[in-house]
Amino acid sequence: MLSGPAGGVIAGRVLSQLTDTPNIITVDVGGTSSDIALISGGEPVIRTEGTIDGFPVRVAMVDVNAIGAGGGSIAWIDEAGGLRVGPHSAGSDPGPACYGRGGANPTVTDASIVLGYLNPAYFAGGSLILDPALSRKTIEEKIAGPLEISVEEAALGIHRVVNSQMAEGIRLVSIKQGFDRAISLSCRWGAAGRFMRTHWPAI
């Protein structure tokens, strides 16, 4: 159950010890979700029960909060005209529009391309060449046009929305559970982790 993200939390524990930093937020940002956990006092926070596929599981586990916000999360406009991101994801097939595999919906990855956060010629070690024109096209058609803003403003808005969701996930595993100690370091990994730090609101 969330063994991959839990392994990252253990790596965060090691980082906590090496840097003498007792409180760390760990964030694993993948294609479909972000898995957030807390190192408090040098140790991962443990919960005594959880839910797997709707069924209660009463066993000790690392407290990982998974939210539907990742690189493949789809940006869309709700009925009130508000910009939303996720929880639906483009997945790896067809994937974001920039993959050139038929994806027709704008994703966080497409927004990252527009903002220059990703090098389209060296994605996944150069094994997949991304098409920035497709990213711009789908963001223009689905987000920027309807909202009457520029493609760049729309891409920045997508990032701000997804980062706000991650900030709320951080609050859920820390402040809202009574851990009111100052968080002095964030530890990010995963395919999209390095793009998700610039716009985190104050927690």
Side-chain angles (χ1 to χ4, degrees):
M1 285 76 77
L2 297 176
S3 58
V9 176
I10 300 306
R13 175 178 178 270
V14 173
L15 179 64
S16 170
Q17 295 171 342
L18 291 175
T19 61
D20 195 25
T21 306
N23 303 320
I24 295 180
I25 288 289
T26 66
V27 185
D28 181 0
V29 188
T32 60
S33 68
S34 296
D35 303 301
I36 305 168
L38 172 67
I39 306 292
S40 178
E43 295 293 335
V45 174
I46 303 296
R47 61 185 177 191
T48 57
E49 62 181 51
T51 303
I52 304 296
D53 198 23
F55 293 96
V57 178
R58 290 184 171 85
V59 61
M61 62 183 73
V62 175
D63 188 9
V64 177
N65 178 38
I67 63 173
S73 294
I74 294 172
W76 52 286
I77 299 175
D78 64 20
E79 294 180 354
L83 177 60
R84 302 296 185 93
V85 179
H88 301 296
S89 173
S92 60
D93 187 13
C98 59
Y99 281 18
R101 296 174 176 170
N105 294 306
T107 67
V108 174
T109 296
D110 291 304
S112 297
I113 287 285
V114 170
L115 295 172
Y117 295 167
L118 275 173
N119 181 353
Y122 199 71
F123 182 76
S127 61
L128 177 62
I129 305 301
L130 305 182
D131 189 341
L134 293 176
S135 292
R136 297 187 66 87
K137 180 176 183 292
T138 189
I139 292 177
E140 168 64 36
E141 292 177 350
K142 300 291 182 69
I143 306 296
L147 294 179
E148 299 182 346
I149 58 178
S150 71
V151 172
E152 288 75 15
E153 288 173 322
L156 184 58
I158 291 169
H159 261 264
R160 284 177 171 166
V161 169
V162 76
N163 277 283
S164 292
Q165 293 172 350
M166 291 182 188
E168 181 59 27
I170 290 173
R171 294 186 189 98
L172 184 62
V173 302
S174 56
I175 297 172
K176 290 187 177 181
Q177 295 195 63
F179 295 95
D180 200 18
R181 286 176 280 182
I183 303 301
S184 52
L185 183 67
S186 66
C187 181
R188 300 166 303 277
W189 53 81
R194 60 195 176 112
F195 309 122
M196 301 303 170
R197 65 187 185 279
T198 307
H199 308 293
W200 274 354
I203 306 217

